[in-house]
Amino acid sequence: MRSELRGRVGADPATARPPIRSVCHARPECVQKTECQYSTDNAGVASSRPKLQISPDDLPVPEVLRRMVVRGEVAWFLFSPQVTWMQVMDAYSKLKAALASDGDLLVISHPGSRSDSSSWLTVRRLISVDEAMRLRDRLEALVAEYRALAHRLAVLYREHIEPAGERGEECPNPLEIDGESWWWHEHGAHCLFADQGDDTDIEIEVNTYHPDKIDPYFLLLYAESTDRYQDIHTACLEGIHDMDRMLNLTAIL
């Protein structure tokens, strides 16, 4: 488990979600702006992109997109390599504006890489206002618990880990304090702590200078690591995007 935890430092925030999802690849029917009769395939968090390449003019009209993008599925639109990034961003801006009336839909642009110059857009349906408000009390409890633990661990950091580093000494890892055992990994202004208890497996990223600060990604990872907030974690089908939307809709912070 510790090796898995170490590997998560700096991980892609989009992977902080339930492990198996369905992905809608933009089928020719969708590209032709007709009723979308797409199929889905089970894919992991590193879903493959569709092979069908399109131009910005081939994007479905907003009415079709609203029908095809359902909760828990992602619509992918892969552009041909001839489409420039400027054209992609223009298509992104127009699509985002066209879907603005549907606050649940999120449009994201993705640049190509050195090995694959094709750029693409994804459209995701985020958690609804009603669902976010239903979970408001649970989310508020999660934030309060996260902050309380973050404050306690920030004190541990300042009293033990930071002074040892300033003296050029190694601080024990895991660190045994008041009957608790915490594995830690310092990186920048944050320190990742993992509970070494027999009955717990908690992970929490702490801003060591501002422990009250809430990062949606780190909050979601904490919710995932404890069995007390599985309802929150399960509701975040779109990972950090859903968590960020919930925090904004409920105005907890």
Side-chain angles (χ1 to χ4, degrees):
M1 181 269 177
R2 294 301 149 227
S3 60
E4 294 176 1
L5 185 152
R6 291 185 181 92
R8 291 171 66 166
V9 177
D12 180 1
T15 64
R17 58 177 181 245
I20 300 297
R21 312 184 59 251
S22 295
V23 178
C24 166
H25 291 179
R27 302 298 184 190
E29 305 94 292
C30 303
V31 175
Q32 294 167 5
K33 301 181 176 64
T34 62
E35 181 68 31
C36 179
Q37 301 296 330
Y38 61 90
S39 61
T40 59
D41 58 334
N42 286 331
V45 292
S47 308
S48 60
R49 290 177 298 164
K51 295 181 179 180
L52 177 67
Q53 296 181 337
I54 65 174
S55 73
D57 292 336
D58 294 325
L59 286 170
V61 296
E63 291 75 14
V64 170
L65 269 174
R66 290 188 178 96
R67 290 194 295 269
M68 67 185 281
V69 183
V70 298
R71 191 80 169 111
E73 295 179 355
V74 180
W76 295 72
F77 301 101
L78 177 65
F79 296 116
S80 67
Q82 289 72 35
V83 177
T84 67
W85 182 241
M86 184 176 295
Q87 290 175 306
V88 172
M89 291 308 295
D90 181 61
Y92 160 79
S93 298
K94 290 178 179 178
L95 188 58
K96 184 178 179 181
L99 297 174
S101 61
D102 191 331
D104 295 353
L105 290 178
L106 175 68
V107 183
I108 304 176
S109 59
H110 305 265
S113 63
R114 290 182 179 179
S115 60
D116 184 357
S117 59
S118 299
S119 303
W120 70 99
L121 299 179
T122 56
V123 184
R124 304 163 184 266
R125 185 169 293 280
L126 302 185
I127 190 168
S128 68
V129 175
D130 289 345
E131 180 70 0
M133 297 311 295
R134 184 183 71 80
L135 292 169
R136 188 186 190 284
D137 289 347
R138 294 285 294 149
L139 184 61
E140 189 170 25
L142 170 63
V143 169
E145 181 178 308
Y146 178 98
R147 281 176 165 164
L149 181 55
H151 269 275
R152 187 157 62 87
L153 293 175
V155 171
L156 183 152
Y157 171 85
R158 291 192 296 268
E159 290 183 350
H160 299 275
I161 301 173
E162 188 174 46
E166 292 174 347
R167 295 191 301 266
E169 302 173 356
E170 287 191 10
C171 185
N173 197 359
L175 190 59
E176 306 282 346
I177 298 291
D178 298 329
E180 296 179 337
S181 180
W182 291 94
W183 182 91
W184 57 272
H185 175 74
E186 182 183 13
H187 52 109
H190 293 90
C191 191
L192 172 62
F193 290 91
D195 186 3
Q196 295 276 311
D198 294 333
D199 301 324
T200 57
D201 203 20
I202 294 174
E203 300 174 21
I204 181 170
E205 283 271 3
V206 177
N207 186 315
T208 53
Y209 300 102
H210 305 284
D212 264 341
K213 189 174 181 179
I214 296 294
D215 182 295
Y217 176 48
F218 295 153
L219 184 64
L220 184 56
L221 289 183
Y222 176 74
E224 181 184 2
S225 74
T226 174
D227 59 2
R228 293 185 295 279
Y229 298 98
Q230 289 306 302
D231 50 349
I232 297 291
H233 177 241
T234 301
C236 291
L237 289 175
E238 297 301 338
I240 184 177
H241 305 299
D242 275 333
M243 177 59 81
D244 186 57
R245 178 167 165 81
M246 280 202 293
L247 290 171
N248 287 325
L249 288 174
T250 57
I252 289 175
L253 302 184

